[in-house]
mmCIF file of all heavy atoms in Angstrom:
data_model
loop_
_atom_site.group_PDB
_atom_site.id
_atom_site.type_symbol
_atom_site.label_atom_id
_atom_site.label_comp_id
_atom_site.label_asym_id
_atom_site.label_seq_id
_atom_site.Cartn_x
_atom_site.Cartn_y
_atom_site.Cartn_z
ATOM 1 N N VAL V 40 228.926 162.880 158.684
ATOM 2 C CA VAL V 40 230.095 163.310 157.949
ATOM 3 C C VAL V 40 230.290 162.329 156.797
ATOM 4 O O VAL V 40 230.069 161.132 156.975
ATOM 5 C CB VAL V 40 231.332 163.324 158.878
ATOM 6 C CG1 VAL V 40 232.589 163.668 158.094
ATOM 7 C CG2 VAL V 40 231.127 164.312 160.010
ATOM 8 N N PRO V 41 230.680 162.810 155.630
ATOM 9 C CA PRO V 41 230.878 161.892 154.504
ATOM 10 C C PRO V 41 231.776 160.714 154.871
ATOM 11 O O PRO V 41 232.846 160.896 155.474
ATOM 12 C CB PRO V 41 231.531 162.771 153.441
ATOM 13 C CG PRO V 41 231.011 164.131 153.735
ATOM 14 C CD PRO V 41 230.908 164.204 155.238
ATOM 15 N N GLY V 42 231.314 159.525 154.538
ATOM 16 C CA GLY V 42 232.091 158.330 154.810
ATOM 17 C C GLY V 42 231.874 157.739 156.185
ATOM 18 O O GLY V 42 232.439 156.688 156.500
ATOM 19 N N LYS V 43 231.070 158.406 157.002
ATOM 20 C CA LYS V 43 230.790 157.901 158.349
ATOM 21 C C LYS V 43 229.298 157.698 158.541
ATOM 22 O O LYS V 43 228.481 158.242 157.807
ATOM 23 C CB LYS V 43 231.335 158.863 159.403
ATOM 24 C CG LYS V 43 232.845 158.965 159.434
ATOM 25 C CD LYS V 43 233.300 159.751 160.642
ATOM 26 C CE LYS V 43 234.814 159.782 160.742
ATOM 27 N NZ LYS V 43 235.287 160.536 161.945
ATOM 28 N N GLN V 44 228.980 156.912 159.558
ATOM 29 C CA GLN V 44 227.575 156.661 159.852
ATOM 30 C C GLN V 44 226.917 157.888 160.472
ATOM 31 O O GLN V 44 227.574 158.689 161.144
ATOM 32 C CB GLN V 44 227.453 155.475 160.819
ATOM 33 C CG GLN V 44 227.654 154.127 160.161
ATOM 34 C CD GLN V 44 227.232 152.987 161.077
ATOM 35 O OE1 GLN V 44 227.304 153.107 162.294
ATOM 36 N NE2 GLN V 44 226.800 151.886 160.491
ATOM 37 N N ARG V 45 225.632 157.990 160.243
ATOM 38 C CA ARG V 45 224.868 159.049 160.891
ATOM 39 C C ARG V 45 224.849 158.785 162.388
ATOM 40 O O ARG V 45 224.649 157.659 162.826
ATOM 41 C CB ARG V 45 223.449 159.063 160.316
ATOM 42 C CG ARG V 45 222.636 160.280 160.629
ATOM 43 C CD ARG V 45 221.364 160.312 159.802
ATOM 44 N NE ARG V 45 221.645 160.470 158.380
ATOM 45 C CZ ARG V 45 220.677 160.679 157.474
ATOM 46 N NH1 ARG V 45 219.416 160.754 157.839
ATOM 47 N NH2 ARG V 45 221.002 160.813 156.199
ATOM 48 N N GLU V 46 225.055 159.842 163.191
ATOM 49 C CA GLU V 46 225.094 159.659 164.639
ATOM 50 C C GLU V 46 224.092 160.576 165.325
ATOM 51 O O GLU V 46 223.828 161.696 164.869
ATOM 52 C CB GLU V 46 226.509 159.927 165.182
ATOM 53 C CG GLU V 46 227.075 161.291 164.896
ATOM 54 C CD GLU V 46 228.510 161.455 165.377
ATOM 55 O OE1 GLU V 46 229.093 160.498 165.918
ATOM 56 O OE2 GLU V 46 229.059 162.562 165.198
ATOM 57 N N LEU V 47 223.574 160.089 166.414
ATOM 58 C CA LEU V 47 222.609 160.854 167.197
ATOM 59 C C LEU V 47 223.309 161.979 167.927
ATOM 60 O O LEU V 47 224.358 161.765 168.551
ATOM 61 C CB LEU V 47 221.883 159.947 168.185
ATOM 62 C CG LEU V 47 220.740 160.552 168.982
ATOM 63 C CD1 LEU V 47 219.662 159.498 169.212
ATOM 64 C CD2 LEU V 47 221.223 161.109 170.317
ATOM 65 N N VAL V 48 222.702 163.153 167.872
ATOM 66 C CA VAL V 48 223.242 164.316 168.573
ATOM 67 C C VAL V 48 222.441 164.576 169.845
ATOM 68 O O VAL V 48 222.999 164.698 170.935
ATOM 69 C CB VAL V 48 223.211 165.561 167.667
ATOM 70 C CG1 VAL V 48 223.668 166.790 168.435
ATOM 71 C CG2 VAL V 48 224.064 165.335 166.418
ATOM 72 N N ALA V 49 221.121 164.660 169.695
ATOM 73 C CA ALA V 49 220.265 164.943 170.840
ATOM 74 C C ALA V 49 218.832 164.608 170.473
ATOM 75 O O ALA V 49 218.463 164.643 169.300
ATOM 76 C CB ALA V 49 220.369 166.415 171.248
ATOM 77 N N ASN V 50 218.033 164.283 171.473
ATOM 78 C CA ASN V 50 216.603 164.151 171.228
ATOM 79 C C ASN V 50 215.817 164.663 172.421
ATOM 80 O O ASN V 50 216.336 164.848 173.517
ATOM 81 C CB ASN V 50 216.205 162.722 170.837
ATOM 82 C CG ASN V 50 216.489 161.696 171.899
ATOM 83 O OD1 ASN V 50 216.490 161.978 173.083
ATOM 84 N ND2 ASN V 50 216.728 160.463 171.466
ATOM 85 N N ILE V 51 214.552 164.898 172.136
ATOM 86 C CA ILE V 51 213.626 165.403 173.153
ATOM 87 C C ILE V 51 212.280 164.738 172.913
ATOM 88 O O ILE V 51 211.839 164.594 171.782
ATOM 89 C CB ILE V 51 213.517 166.943 173.090
ATOM 90 C CG1 ILE V 51 212.625 167.481 174.208
ATOM 91 C CG2 ILE V 51 213.039 167.420 171.723
ATOM 92 C CD1 ILE V 51 212.716 169.005 174.367
ATOM 93 N N VAL V 52 211.662 164.295 174.005
ATOM 94 C CA VAL V 52 210.367 163.637 173.893
ATOM 95 C C VAL V 52 209.278 164.543 174.435
ATOM 96 O O VAL V 52 209.560 165.502 175.186
ATOM 97 C CB VAL V 52 210.352 162.288 174.628
ATOM 98 C CG1 VAL V 52 211.370 161.338 173.998
ATOM 99 C CG2 VAL V 52 210.616 162.460 176.110
ATOM 100 N N ARG V 53 208.071 164.200 174.053
ATOM 101 C CA ARG V 53 206.936 164.953 174.561
ATOM 102 C C ARG V 53 206.958 164.874 176.084
ATOM 103 O O ARG V 53 207.086 163.810 176.646
ATOM 104 C CB ARG V 53 205.637 164.372 174.009
ATOM 105 C CG ARG V 53 204.419 165.189 174.330
ATOM 106 C CD ARG V 53 203.214 164.696 173.572
ATOM 107 N NE ARG V 53 202.021 165.430 173.907
ATOM 108 C CZ ARG V 53 201.720 166.604 173.406
ATOM 109 N NH1 ARG V 53 202.525 167.165 172.535
ATOM 110 N NH2 ARG V 53 200.612 167.218 173.761
ATOM 111 N N GLY V 54 206.878 165.991 176.701
ATOM 112 C CA GLY V 54 207.024 166.029 178.155
ATOM 113 C C GLY V 54 208.324 166.703 178.553
ATOM 114 O O GLY V 54 208.478 167.137 179.698
ATOM 115 N N GLY V 55 209.261 166.754 177.595
ATOM 116 C CA GLY V 55 210.450 167.561 177.821
ATOM 117 C C GLY V 55 211.734 166.836 178.160
ATOM 118 O O GLY V 55 212.792 167.472 178.243
ATOM 119 N N ASN V 56 211.692 165.531 178.377
ATOM 120 C CA ASN V 56 212.947 164.825 178.688
ATOM 121 C C ASN V 56 213.884 164.874 177.483
ATOM 122 O O ASN V 56 213.474 164.686 176.344
ATOM 123 C CB ASN V 56 212.671 163.381 179.060
ATOM 124 C CG ASN V 56 212.074 163.264 180.448
ATOM 125 O OD1 ASN V 56 212.148 164.184 181.247
ATOM 126 N ND2 ASN V 56 211.486 162.126 180.739
ATOM 127 N N THR V 57 215.141 165.127 177.766
ATOM 128 C CA THR V 57 216.140 165.257 176.713
ATOM 129 C C THR V 57 217.265 164.251 176.895
ATOM 130 O O THR V 57 217.494 163.729 177.997
ATOM 131 C CB THR V 57 216.744 166.671 176.702
ATOM 132 O OG1 THR V 57 217.328 166.939 177.980
ATOM 133 C CG2 THR V 57 215.695 167.716 176.403
ATOM 134 N N ASN V 58 217.959 164.024 175.800
ATOM 135 C CA ASN V 58 219.096 163.108 175.806
ATOM 136 C C ASN V 58 220.138 163.660 174.854
ATOM 137 O O ASN V 58 219.798 164.131 173.763
ATOM 138 C CB ASN V 58 218.648 161.717 175.337
ATOM 139 C CG ASN V 58 219.801 160.740 175.263
ATOM 140 O OD1 ASN V 58 220.535 160.540 176.219
ATOM 141 N ND2 ASN V 58 219.980 160.129 174.099
ATOM 142 N N TYR V 59 221.408 163.643 175.279
ATOM 143 C CA TYR V 59 222.483 164.209 174.464
ATOM 144 C C TYR V 59 223.609 163.201 174.297
ATOM 145 O O TYR V 59 223.919 162.430 175.208
ATOM 146 C CB TYR V 59 223.055 165.462 175.141
ATOM 147 C CG TYR V 59 222.087 166.608 175.249
ATOM 148 C CD1 TYR V 59 221.304 166.776 176.387
ATOM 149 C CD2 TYR V 59 221.948 167.522 174.205
ATOM 150 C CE1 TYR V 59 220.413 167.823 176.487
ATOM 151 C CE2 TYR V 59 221.063 168.583 174.305
ATOM 152 C CZ TYR V 59 220.294 168.725 175.450
ATOM 153 O OH TYR V 59 219.413 169.771 175.537
ATOM 154 N N ALA V 60 224.232 163.266 173.129
ATOM 155 C CA ALA V 60 225.454 162.509 172.945
ATOM 156 C C ALA V 60 226.543 163.113 173.821
ATOM 157 O O ALA V 60 226.548 164.324 174.083
ATOM 158 C CB ALA V 60 225.888 162.561 171.481
#
Side-chain angles (χ1 to χ4, degrees):
V40 176
K43 293 189 176 181
Q44 283 192 331
R45 194 169 294 188
E46 58 184 1
L47 186 146
V48 175
N50 62 29
I51 184 168
V52 298
R53 188 170 178 80
N56 286 343
T57 58
N58 177 54
Y59 295 93

